[in-house]
Amino acid sequence: SKANRSADALVRIILDSFPGFRDYVDTSDIPNTTSGWETATSSPTVIHFYKRAQIAVADIWAALGRCQPEFTPFADSESPYKQLHNCCHFTDMNAVTTFPDYRVPQILRNVGVMKYASSLAKAVDDQVELEKSGLDEISIRAATVVAVEDLVQKVKEKLGSMAVMDDSAINRSKLDKLSEDVSAVTIDWYLWQQGEKLDRQNLLEPHHRVRTTYY
């Protein structure tokens, strides 16, 4: 309830409460001291990813807040599930980015959305371990966030044009509702699931490798 139905606020609460979730890179190499977190939250040289904090919020939303209020067991106003739904029915899920790890950039590269420089491509394909928080890892993760945001926009535009061309009011309503559900989170889920499927079939190139606790 402290987050007041804001996914972004809950991410910030998690970050303030759990240092292990503070997934950021300071490009100016500010020493990691006890005051580093306060510096990081306002520094223009810091790149924030927050994969684990954001996916925690998304999972809470998926389990308790995404369902419609009339859906059982949320229908009973006295039910504790209803109260949880009210807290977790976040109104700003579009503030959450994709979860930049290893699988999403792997499939984005596989389908041609992302293309690595030849030296980076060789290192990834040869399964060479990249430097944690190094330029290559930062570039892959940042490009993943940007690429998914672009995909969200493209999908929404496609659904919007389909709705305009459809003569059925019912179909237009369904398309509009589907468009509202499109976000970096839902696109991430789709990409992850496709990536897992293709990986089991050995149809993906190697993903980048980094020793990290952030993903």
Side-chain angles (χ1 to χ4, degrees):
S1 61
K2 187 177 179 181
N4 195 25
R5 296 178 64 189
S6 168
D8 186 56
L10 185 53
V11 168
R12 293 177 183 276
I13 290 170
I14 291 173
L15 293 171
D16 288 339
S17 303
F18 302 100
F21 283 74
R22 296 169 186 172
D23 176 13
Y24 67 90
V25 179
D26 192 337
T27 58
S28 68
D29 294 324
I30 297 174
N32 186 19
T33 64
T34 53
S35 62
W37 174 237
E38 294 181 3
T39 302
T41 56
S42 59
S43 173
T45 64
V46 172
I47 300 173
H48 306 261
F49 293 112
Y50 303 153
K51 188 262 183 178
R52 292 171 59 201
Q54 292 194 112
I55 203 170
V57 171
D59 285 349
I60 291 171
W61 172 69
L64 298 170
R66 193 182 185 200
C67 294
Q68 295 301 313
E70 62 272 15
F71 181 76
T72 305
F74 301 129
D76 183 359
S77 61
E78 300 300 321
S79 167
Y81 295 106
K82 177 69 173 181
Q83 298 174 29
L84 286 171
H85 177 269
N86 289 339
C87 290
C88 302
H89 189 62
F90 303 128
T91 59
D92 60 347
M93 283 304 297
N94 61 341
V96 178
T97 72
T98 193
F99 319 125
D101 49 20
Y102 64 95
R103 183 69 79 210
V104 176
Q106 182 186 26
I107 191 169
L108 289 175
R109 182 189 177 204
N110 180 262
V111 298
V113 172
M114 287 172 54
K115 184 177 181 180
Y116 296 169
S118 57
S119 58
L120 177 57
K122 186 176 187 307
V124 173
D125 292 339
D126 290 345
Q127 302 184 33
V128 174
E129 185 176 306
L130 304 182
E131 178 188 1
K132 179 179 181 291
S133 300
L135 180 59
D136 287 335
E137 186 202 10
I138 295 172
S139 298
I140 290 173
R141 299 187 75 195
T144 300
V145 174
V146 173
V148 171
E149 291 298 326
D150 286 347
L151 284 174
V152 169
Q153 187 61 36
K154 293 293 184 183
V155 172
K156 284 182 173 291
E157 289 174 358
K158 180 64 175 178
L159 291 172
S161 63
M162 290 170 63
V164 169
M165 296 174 62
D166 201 306
D167 294 330
S168 168
I170 295 177
N171 288 341
R172 288 199 301 272
S173 177
K174 289 181 178 178
L175 288 168
D176 288 342
K177 189 172 183 180
L178 181 59
S179 181
E180 290 176 3
D181 195 47
V182 174
S183 66
V185 171
T186 54
I187 292 291
D188 183 285
W189 288 342
Y190 173 78
L191 293 172
W192 176 270
Q193 291 165 1
Q194 292 301 307
E196 290 290 288
K197 179 180 177 181
L198 293 174
D199 188 62
R200 287 193 296 268
Q201 298 171 348
N202 294 317
L203 296 177
L204 289 179
E205 298 131 327
H207 57 74
H208 73 278
R209 283 163 167 75
V210 177
R211 291 183 184 272
T212 179
T213 58
Y214 292 134
Y215 59 94

